Amino acid sequence: MRNIFKGSLRGYVCEDCLEAVSEVEILIYHPYRNANSTANAASNVKETFRFVSKEEAKQRAELLVYKAKTDAEGNFQIEVSENHLDASFDIDFVCGTVPPKHPKPKRDEIVQLHITTFSMRLELEKQAKDEKHRWEYAIAYKWWCYIRGHFFDAWVICGHLMNCQTNKPIANAKVTAMDADFFTDDNLGTATTDSNGHFRIDYTSADFKKTFLSPWINIETDPSFLSFQSGPDVYFKAELGGTKLVDETKADARKNVGFCLCVNLCSDVNVVDPNDPNFPSAWTGIGAAFSSSYGSSSYDFDADGFAGSGKNVLYSVIRLTGQAALRSGSGNPIEYRFRVSDTTAPNNTVSLPESNFTKIVGVTPGLFTSSIVSKLTRKVFSFILNDIFVWSDQSDFDAEGWFDVNHAIERTLIAVGLTPADLALYNIIEEDTLISLNTTALTTAPSIPANSINAGQNIPAGSKIPLEKFAIRFEIREVIDKPSNNFGVIGGNGKTLNSVVMNNNPIYRKLSIKELDESSLCSPISGTIHGRYTVYHPYLAGCSLHLNNNSHTVERDILDGVINTLPAVDERTNNSSQLNNPPADMTRCTYTLKLFSSTRKHNGDYGDSDGGTPLEQLFFYDV
């Protein structure tokens, strides 16, 4: 009976990235220094793995018993003599190359490493019980990365590309690694992600030591200027069909990386697989700034309906964001809709009853606004119709406000001269927007009439703008048989925000100079002068006064104890805010008094620009 010892040798380039150590020579020795007892066979590999010096290799030459070579998978086997069945052996390997077949190093040295000591009898008994069993050894990544890089100039990047929200892998994406340099950034390589979102980029130091004098002079030119670190400063780009998934810059670079770089990249772009029944459907946010949930994080809604840590209120057109599968696992279309209720409740209480939601986006006039809900990008590049943007349309809703993105995609394909069958030629990029809602169709509070209140006057209590809140509900379903009202339940159905504060009123601002009001706007003024202002909005974020003259010898904020007082309230009013800064610093010149202000209105992507341009009052000061 033949006794075959089967083994396998692999090495970690990252903690989750293992590669076969192929085409290397395996050496089996009698134990060095008479360490030949079975009791010593179970060596601690962390202590025994080491380099073998030339001197030691010579001393152990007469102890060599067997040789073998690993195949492409890192496997090897040796036929063991009957005389050696009860012996313990040292196992080494001579590393003449590393994946992906980097040449033997130019330096004149043999890279031999001792792995461990093992009992032949124990290993053969394990193989007798299980014919698939192999003695296996995986070299720790710190050792293997050093061996690859130091002796073979083999550098590697091993990573994954996932969706930031769902942690779902993104396949077929092109990932490019760049080295940030002072002169010109180096392209270290590009790889395509597999079905698990995994990618690997192999390179050498020559790839990141390029200069404008290459190939005659190569050196790593660190962008921090003349620091000349040994490793590259790596940042990443990733795209799928022309859509940017990851767009890092030099500022994001990982500084002076080692021989092995392990990264996890994520993208906010959702790539939809229409045939994947496990693609999660959910309403997750409002724009890019806020979640659609109650919570304590900086982007959640609080119990009263204010958004994020800034206590923002929603205004204008908002994007209701998230993701929805095109079809269920059984191939049926999936539809969704958003409904609105005038009745609200705190967000930290049970969801409002479904019957409260009487307004429907796509049905109630004015609520729906068209927006990009998907993007189709050719799997194989084409100069014609390579990228097609899918805009939502009123025709994509049924009479009850159910939105069918499949209809939107098919309608778009037909509109550009294609057919629904051509969808197979495209990747479907989820654009994050489910539906866009126009909040101006909900809010009704009247604004302060223009010029109804003079600068320096308070806003009458009866004229102030009331609080307006609404609730939003997301519903989603599988369409099994629409004519017979046969629908399936989809996870995420019924997601509700009980309270969302909205406001579409402009800020009310008035500014004047008291001494000009009492004379004429064209008269020079002197002595002690005063500003008048009125700033009002129910969600006032901040306001300030700034004074400067044409020569900018005077350039300062006005601190009058009113406009700069915290915390912010809904109104700032002063009928006599002194502008002079004792001792008198105002010289004969033309001056500008500016009133800056802002509100907490936000559409989920941008804050309100209302109040962004300051009110200005010019005057001439004469000593």
Side-chain angles (χ1 to χ4, degrees), residues 282-335:
W283 170 37
T284 58
I286 294 175
F290 308 125
S291 78
S292 56
S293 301
Y294 163 75
S296 58
S297 71
S298 60
Y299 46 82
D300 289 333
F301 279 77
D302 66 13
D304 296 321
F306 292 97
S309 56
K311 300 290 184 181
N312 300 99
V313 300
L314 301 186
Y315 89 111
S316 189
V317 175
I318 60 175
R319 296 187 304 114
L320 303 172
T321 58
Q323 57 192 33
L326 301 182
R327 297 185 179 274
S328 66
S330 56
N332 295 317
I334 288 177
E335 298 177 335

Side-chain angles (χ1 to χ4, degrees), residues 587-598:
T587 58
R588 188 174 187 270
C589 196
T590 299
Y591 287 78
T592 303
L593 181 64
K594 298 178 182 179
L595 174 61
F596 296 88
S597 57
S598 61

Side-chain angles (χ1 to χ4, degrees), residues 372-376 388-391 405 409 428-431:
I372 297 174
V373 295
S374 191
K375 176 186 174 182
L376 309 180
I388 303 173
F389 290 93
V390 179
W391 288 77
V405 70
I409 290 173
I428 305 172
I429 308 297
E430 228 254 7
E431 285 293 302

